[in-house]
Amino acid sequence: MATIKLSKDYLKNELDLPYSAIVDEIVETSRWSIHHRIVFEDKGKFYQAYYSEGATECQDESPWEYEDEIDCTEVELREVKMKKWMPVEN
């Protein structure tokens, strides 16, 4: 698994993340924070990273507020088959 470290300033200022992410999904919530997974492109490769933001207007937490370098894992888009429970049709 290829992982690189990118600076918070590079992600926010040069790539305009998390706003320009290809994918931005909520993966977990806690009492004070909403935790996201994003996928973004940089120099022809795609990476995923995680960030948190405040869950309410009283929580002053912005993406990567407490980190200077962020671990970014290289990813690729693949087709995945899955099974899902569905109602029986008569």
Side-chain angles (χ1 to χ4, degrees):
M1 183 169 26
T3 301
I4 62 171
K5 289 188 180 287
L6 296 174
S7 74
K8 168 177 61 175
D9 291 337
Y10 180 73
L11 293 178
K12 292 178 92 171
N13 299 329
E14 298 297 321
L15 300 181
D16 193 28
L17 293 173
Y19 310 107
S20 67
I22 297 167
V23 173
D24 186 344
E25 63 184 4
I26 296 172
V27 293
E28 185 179 359
T29 59
S30 65
R31 183 173 181 177
W32 307 116
S33 299
I34 301 170
H35 306 281
H36 295 253
R37 179 183 77 92
I38 61 170
V39 174
F40 63 94
E41 182 179 359
D42 183 38
K43 299 174 185 161
K45 294 185 178 183
F46 296 90
Y47 298 93
Q48 76 175 4
Y50 296 87
Y51 75 92
S52 297
E53 63 183 350
T56 71
E57 64 277 355
C58 296
Q59 273 55 59
D60 188 20
E61 180 184 2
S62 62
W64 307 297
E65 183 172 346
Y66 306 109
E67 301 174 73
D68 290 327
E69 289 192 327
I70 292 79
D71 290 328
C72 303
T73 304
E74 188 175 357
V75 294
E76 64 183 2
L77 187 61
R78 294 183 193 164
E79 184 175 334
V80 178
K81 293 183 179 182
M82 59 185 275
K83 291 184 178 183
K84 182 176 176 182
W85 291 101
M86 302 292 294
V88 174
E89 296 181 18
N90 295 331

